[in-house]
Amino acid sequence: ISATHVFPASLIYSRSFLEFVKKANDAGRGEFTIQVRGGPEAIGMMEQPGAVRSGVVDMVYSPCAFYAAVVPECDAVSASTVDGPTARKNGGIDLLNQIHQKRMGVVLLGWVDSGIRFTLWSTKEPKFDSGGHIDIKGFKVRGNPIYNAFLTNYLGAQVININSSELYTALERGTVDITAWTQIGLMDLNWDRYIKYRILPDFFETDLMIIMNQKKWTSLSPKTREILQRTAIEHESASLQSLQELWKKEQAELAQRGIKTLAQSPDASRRFVAGARAASLARMKERTEKAGGMENYERIVQLFTPG
Amino acid sequence: MQWYWAALLLFGLGVGLMMLGIPVAIAFFATNIVAAALFMGGGPGIVQVINNGFGAMTSFALVPIPMFLLMGELFYHTGLATKCFNAADKLLGNVRGRLAYVTLIGGTAFAGPAGSSMGACALLGSLMVPEMMRRGYSKYLSIGPIMGVGGLAVIIPPSALTVLLATLGRTDVADLLIAGVVPGFLLASMYGVLIWAWTVILPEAAPAYAPEPVSRREKIRLFFVDVIPMVAIIVFSVIIMIVGWCTPTEAAALGALSVIVLAACYGEMTWKALVKSLNGALRVTVMAFLIIFGSATFAQVLAFTGASSGLMNWALGFDVTPLGMLFVMIGVILFLGCFMDQLSMMLLTAPIFFPLAKTLGFDLTWFGLIMLLALEIGYTTPPFGLLLFVMKGVAPPGTTMKDIYLAGMPFIACVLLLIGLIIIFPPLATWLPAMSH
Amino acid sequence: MAIAAGFLMAAMMVVICLDVVLRNLGYQSSAHFFTFTEYALLAVPCLGAPWLVREKGHIYVEILLMTLKPRPRKLLTCVIGGVCIAVCAILAWYGLDVTISDFLQNEKDVRSLDMPRWMVVGFIPLSFAMMGIEFLRFVVRREDFLGSLGGQSE
Ligand code: NA
Ligand code: NA
């Protein structure tokens, strides 16, 4: 079984996936081996979902958002209020798996590394208005095609598009003041040198999926499938837990490095998170209407954002 | 199939086809097609190669290159460059090989902040090479310094490649950036000595014509009218980058625009000059991008077949001293550098080399800098080197690939010497970062 | 096509400048500008490549060719031409395949807007097909399509 991961091997998320591979290979000794062919150096980041779809590679570890144009329901995952194990229990992942098979011809093994949210990290202190809403007019925000609409429409931010490899220099020079990034991993990229503030609330959720080509999946022996599926489900819980622990550690470290946490007022926070969620769900609705399959829309929304 | 067969097939086929005289880009495509059909399951594999290429082309952070090229071509075709170098020629007086020094100093000042080797090389190449060859400089002396300076863009901060390497190696970015300052300027001085030695040993490389004597008033006029405005544009594009007003790409685009404005002020901005500049910039852009398309997908196929990791693990399997292992790692990078672009190489080697360096007890900043220098050499080593191809694109007709290979050699030797110096005398790399803490 | 490529490049410069100026004047510039430059990055070489073949601007290593006598050199040139045509044909064919399946599967390229992927990918087969035709023209006319060797001509 060949596999690739979208991020470079040094990133925390890729390491988590490699751990899954190790566990699966240990459990399936004599039965199968997963051969990791590499990260973006083997197949380009955005090309990996297509590669697993066509069967060039058997297994891919990728954010759902990378193929959200094919599977619009991905937006519900990033907007979700639950974590992987919960969605597994309430049947959300099963339904999403069926949708993956139907829309893209891939099997969704698991939603791993969940529970980590995105944060606005800022180099400058933002102002707050009387309602406790953050006011970042005039701040330059590093955009991401996926979140641009929310950032500009809701926050009125100035979005700058820049490669993440150039972001360090951009933060240093003040070309960019704010970047959205996951809670963890900031220090791996050394951005904490220029980042001074963490702006609450956190929003969105990581949507990292392990997917497999469906034809390959059905050609595997029942035992292999059972081991793979079981290991993936175990990893859904294990990765949730280990990343939460890591986040606790990183939080302490960030505080020690002098990064202040600012929060919007409870009311403003609620509106902020709701705004992000609404933006995602609106796009999902729009795409689903175009692609068909609206019959699942309500259930997906309900299963992934019950709160 | 074992990895070494795959590696042999891929490298052999690629180099073989290139040596036959097949255009470099096509040779890469052909190799990719064969490899994809063999290792990626036939048709779907070839489809994947095309999709990979699509991804590489639209996100490779390549935008600066056409913009820098356009800026250089505009300088040249509007006649602003000639004006400026005429003036520099007269002002510098009778220094042998003065334009080579102008390249070196101007290039170092520009390449540093630009951070894009190919961009800097494209700009300087289209600006200086035609001018120097016109004045009778030997082709080697015209071409070599520019490729050398193009490499400096990586070492002297800021540099996107440095940031990426540090990130991939999970070491401190700022330290690695700062570590490049001393070696960067040392390397520039070594280039200076090299040019001086060159003009002493081979005087015919740089024509020794005495500039016509110019009065002091004329000198002042030349300086203010011909030199200052052009220098101002370059300084302007450097400054807007440094103060964070815009990204290097945007600085290049603004630079190109300001050349147009300046040329219009001199009354030199003709429609013809614009078309010629676009034509020249387009030529090199198309050529370089096709090659990047081919080589980026080649590197991916190579990684996918397991050939790259096989090669690396084999090389790392030798039981040698830490110093020996360092040489093995440098060797692997130099070897891969003959075939691959810097970004692919980094993605491939950094996640393996850095942890290894850590276990060997190396200082990671020191190690990262050595790795960066080794990576930089790959820009100019035959048969495949991005700067070589950019140079070939901007050099006057009649310049052969062999000329360009040879022109780069002395400058590669300088970098190797510098690597040696840093290994023997680590503070070259580690002193400044330590001071900054 | 080359004219379109040249025009696109000039447009890229203008768009990037406009982006900076707008941003620094405090206006919200459109994220589509950035997407446009990324697509132009693909379109420029694709549109320019066939023209570059005609202009004999492709880079090759001429070491072997230079050492050969005129007759074997001519033969080798033909072989090279054949390889070039074959490679272009294969890539054009599979490129078309990608384009059509992207069209049929309604594949989107997710950037600042959901661009139908076939519209951008389509540049690739177009480019290789035209390149193949240009190579073919040279071979049929028995012309040397590689650039000048060692400064003999031009
Ligand atoms: Na630099
Ligand atoms: Na090279």
Side-chain angles (χ1 to χ4, degrees):
Chain A
I1 304 172
S2 60
T4 57
H5 42 88
V6 291
F7 300 119
S10 50
L11 216 68
I12 171 74
Y13 300 106
S14 304
R15 281 183 277 147
S16 167
F17 173 68
L18 293 176
E19 206 179 296
F20 159 77
V21 170
K22 194 170 160 289
K23 279 192 230 163
N25 281 343
D26 285 345
R29 184 152 302 154
E31 191 67 28
F32 65 89
T33 33
I34 302 172
Q35 275 187 327
V36 178
R37 297 296 175 86
E41 75 277 11
I43 297 181
M45 252 188 199
M46 304 303 281
E47 274 57 56
Q48 292 195 13
V52 68
R53 189 181 189 183
S54 70
V56 167
V57 58
D58 302 325
M59 182 189 285
V60 156
Y61 169 74
S62 160
C64 205
F66 282 16
Y67 53 89
V70 184
V71 184
E73 286 79 2
C74 286
D75 276 331
V77 183
S78 50
S80 69
T81 51
V82 295
D83 52 31
T86 315
R88 174 67 68 184
K89 237 178 268 155
N90 75 11
I93 294 183
D94 285 332
L95 178 60
L96 199 59
N97 180 15
Q98 285 163 27
I99 294 172
H100 269 73
Q101 299 192 11
K102 203 172 101 206
R103 288 201 195 276
M104 198 170 151
V106 297
V107 174
L108 170 63
L109 271 190
W111 171 27
V112 294
D113 305 336
S114 60
I116 293 293
R117 294 182 179 279
F118 284 79
T119 291
L120 290 178
W121 301 94
S122 176
T123 57
K124 295 198 297 195
E125 184 164 6
K127 286 196 289 263
F128 289 91
D129 69 8
S130 54
H133 294 80
I134 157 182
D135 174 14
I136 51 169
K137 291 209 178 59
F139 278 50
K140 284 167 283 183
V141 181
R142 188 236 171 167
N144 165 324
I146 295 159
Y147 306 139
N148 271 359
F150 169 63
L151 293 175
T152 50
N153 296 345
Y154 186 88
L155 293 174
Q158 277 185 50
V159 174
I160 291 190
N161 290 288
I162 194 166
N163 212 299
S164 70
S165 64
E166 280 179 39
L167 192 54
Y168 179 88
T169 319
L171 290 169
E172 179 184 20
R173 289 168 172 169
T175 318
V176 168
D177 305 313
I178 291 189
T179 174
W181 195 254
T182 56
Q183 292 165 323
I184 53 173
L186 192 77
M187 288 176 288
D188 289 345
L189 296 158
N190 285 294
W191 294 346
D192 60 294
R193 259 166 207 274
Y194 302 105
I195 297 287
K196 295 274 175 300
Y197 300 96
R198 172 175 167 232
I199 304 168
L200 290 180
D202 302 325
F203 60 111
F204 291 133
E205 184 167 356
T206 47
D207 54 351
L208 290 152
M209 304 290 173
I210 301 176
I211 50 180
M212 279 193 75
N213 181 280
Q214 198 172 0
K215 272 196 202 128
K216 177 76 185 183
W217 176 254
T218 36
S219 76
L220 296 171
S221 74
K223 189 168 172 212
T224 304
R225 280 185 291 190
E226 187 270 321
I227 297 173
L228 281 174
Q229 187 61 73
R230 177 160 46 83
T231 317
I233 294 174
E234 278 165 18
H235 194 63
E236 277 172 359
S237 310
S239 62
L240 172 70
Q241 208 176 4
S242 64
L243 290 190
Q244 287 303 324
E245 271 161 31
L246 179 69
W247 170 223
K248 255 188 222 132
K249 244 190 274 164
E250 286 205 357
Q251 248 174 312
E253 179 64 29
L254 283 170
Q256 205 203 328
R257 292 192 190 183
I259 290 173
K260 290 200 188 75
T261 305
L262 306 172
Q264 305 188 51
S265 69
D267 192 40
S269 298
R270 229 170 302 156
R271 285 193 49 195
F272 182 83
V273 173
R277 186 164 301 145
S280 273
L281 293 182
R283 190 175 57 175
M284 168 174 156
K285 190 165 187 188
E286 188 190 321
R287 281 180 173 155
T288 317
E289 273 165 357
K290 268 194 219 153
M294 271 310 274
E295 65 276 8
N296 289 324
Y297 177 81
E298 290 300 330
R299 268 200 74 207
I300 281 283
V301 171
Q302 198 198 354
L303 290 174
F304 280 90
T305 57
Chain B
M1 194 186 286
Q2 293 294 325
W3 67 265
Y4 40 85
W5 289 118
L8 202 67
L9 178 83
L10 281 165
F11 286 124
L13 198 61
V15 175
L17 289 175
M18 267 183 232
M19 284 302 162
L20 264 184
I22 294 190
V24 174
I26 304 276
F28 270 124
F29 293 142
T31 315
N32 291 338
I33 291 173
V34 172
L38 273 177
F39 302 106
M40 294 170 112
I46 300 178
V47 165
Q48 191 59 46
V49 166
I50 291 174
N51 281 329
N52 282 353
F54 172 75
M57 296 290 281
T58 50
S59 65
F60 214 107
L62 292 170
V63 204
I65 296 163
M67 291 303 117
F68 278 121
L69 271 168
L70 193 57
M71 186 171 163
E73 294 280 340
L74 278 167
F75 263 131
Y76 184 68
H77 287 293
T78 54
L80 291 185
T82 315
K83 255 196 175 95
C84 180
F85 291 125
N86 268 331
D89 212 28
K90 285 178 186 154
L91 293 174
L92 273 181
N94 199 9
V95 179
R96 202 182 262 279
R98 47 196 171 273
L99 282 188
Y101 295 110
V102 171
T103 306
L104 184 62
I105 295 166
T108 308
F110 180 73
S116 157
S117 286
M118 289 180 68
C121 187
L123 174 67
L124 289 167
S126 50
L127 201 61
M128 299 294 297
V129 175
E131 200 56 40
M132 287 173 80
M133 304 256 271
R134 203 171 61 79
R135 281 159 203 256
Y137 281 75
S138 85
K139 42 190 168 189
Y140 303 120
L141 191 55
S142 313
I143 294 168
I146 294 176
M147 291 195 294
V149 169
L152 277 180
V154 179
I155 303 296
I156 299 176
S159 136
L161 273 189
T162 310
V163 175
L164 189 67
L165 182 68
T167 308
L168 289 171
R170 296 161 53 67
T171 175
D172 195 289
V173 181
D175 280 359
L176 190 54
L177 282 169
I178 295 170
V181 174
V182 174
F185 287 103
L186 187 62
L187 189 59
S189 332
M190 283 162 79
Y191 288 166
V193 173
L194 175 70
I195 294 171
W196 174 78
W198 198 328
T199 52
V200 169
I201 299 166
L202 296 168
E204 67 276 14
Y209 54 92
E212 45 207 291
V214 219
S215 69
R216 171 163 297 180
R217 255 189 77 187
E218 175 66 5
K219 271 190 176 174
I220 292 173
R221 195 196 65 84
L222 276 175
F223 185 69
F224 278 101
V225 177
D226 288 349
V227 179
I228 287 279
M230 180 158 146
V231 171
I233 287 188
I234 294 188
V235 169
F236 161 74
S237 45
V238 165
I239 285 179
I240 54 180
M241 275 189 272
I242 291 179
V243 300
W245 209 58
C246 57
T247 64
T249 312
E250 296 166 348
L254 283 174
L257 190 68
S258 35
V259 177
I260 294 182
V261 172
L262 182 66
C265 293
Y266 280 92
E268 307 270 10
M269 193 62 231
T270 58
W271 185 246
K272 211 172 130 198
L274 180 67
V275 171
K276 269 193 174 163
S277 309
L278 278 174
N279 186 308
L282 186 62
R283 247 185 125 92
V284 186
T285 306
V286 170
M287 177 221 76
F289 279 27
L290 272 186
I291 290 175
I292 289 171
F293 188 137
S295 80
T297 45
F298 175 78
Q300 290 181 333
V301 172
L302 203 62
F304 190 82
T305 56
S308 344
S309 55
L311 174 73
M312 256 178 308
N313 291 330
W314 168 74
L316 300 179
F318 294 121
D319 188 21
V320 289
T321 59
L323 192 64
M325 193 46 78
L326 179 67
F327 284 117
V328 168
M329 287 192 272
I330 296 175
V332 169
I333 297 180
L334 292 183
F335 173 74
L336 289 177
C338 293
F339 305 95
M340 264 188 220
D341 65 275
Q342 277 51 39
L343 192 68
S344 313
M345 268 199 286
M346 265 187 199
L347 283 171
L348 221 54
T349 55
I352 301 175
F353 284 5
F354 273 91
L356 187 67
K358 208 171 179 178
T359 54
L360 290 173
F362 293 155
D363 179 300
L364 286 188
T365 304
W366 171 80
F367 174 75
L369 192 73
I370 291 175
M371 211 172 140
L372 208 57
L373 284 165
L375 282 163
E376 186 204 291
I377 290 179
Y379 272 122
T380 35
T381 48
F384 176 80
L386 290 171
L387 293 190
L388 298 170
F389 299 133
V390 170
M391 220 45 231
K392 170 82 175 154
V394 295
T399 316
T400 65
M401 223 45 228
K402 203 170 122 202
D403 294 336
I404 296 175
Y405 291 162
L406 288 175
M409 291 300 165
F411 295 89
I412 294 178
C414 279
V415 184
L416 286 174
L417 187 65
L418 181 64
I419 293 180
L421 282 176
I422 294 174
I423 293 175
I424 297 166
F425 194 62
L428 277 180
T430 53
W431 175 74
L432 201 58
M435 285 295 292
S436 72
H437 282 302
Chain C
M1 273 163 78
I3 295 172
F7 179 76
L8 259 183
M9 209 153 87
M12 261 167 94
M13 180 187 80
V14 174
V15 164
I16 296 172
C17 291
L18 203 64
D19 191 15
V20 183
V21 171
L22 279 180
R23 187 174 71 226
N24 285 284
L25 288 179
Y27 294 102
Q28 178 57 53
S29 68
S30 166
H32 299 332
F33 282 171
F34 185 74
T35 310
F36 164 78
T37 41
E38 285 191 331
Y39 286 141
L41 219 50
L42 177 77
V44 164
C46 281
L47 290 172
W51 162 76
L52 200 63
V53 175
R54 186 177 297 194
E55 295 267 298
K56 305 182 182 179
H58 282 286
I59 303 293
Y60 59 96
V61 181
E62 70 290 81
I63 292 169
L64 179 66
L65 278 164
M66 269 173 72
T67 55
L68 287 178
K69 296 214 171 60
R71 267 191 67 88
R73 184 192 285 180
K74 200 133 207 168
L75 197 71
L76 182 58
T77 312
C78 275
V79 173
I80 295 172
V83 173
C84 291
I85 294 166
V87 166
C88 289
I90 294 174
L91 288 177
W93 174 255
Y94 281 101
L96 192 65
D97 187 31
V98 176
T99 311
I100 291 173
S101 71
D102 279 351
F103 177 73
L104 292 179
Q105 296 181 340
N106 199 15
E107 194 92 52
K108 297 278 170 51
D109 195 43
V110 188
R111 295 189 190 212
S112 68
L113 65 172
D114 289 359
M115 184 77 165
R117 198 164 182 272
W118 65 270
M119 285 174 72
V120 258
V121 170
F123 279 114
I124 295 176
L126 177 70
S127 171
F128 282 108
M130 294 300 289
M131 261 166 87
I133 292 170
E134 290 289 340
F135 278 122
L136 195 64
R137 280 177 36 157
F138 279 117
V139 173
V140 167
R141 280 189 283 149
R142 303 260 156 172
E143 219 178 291
D144 185 7
F145 56 86
L146 301 168
S148 55
L149 282 177
Q152 288 159 335
S153 57
E154 285 188 279

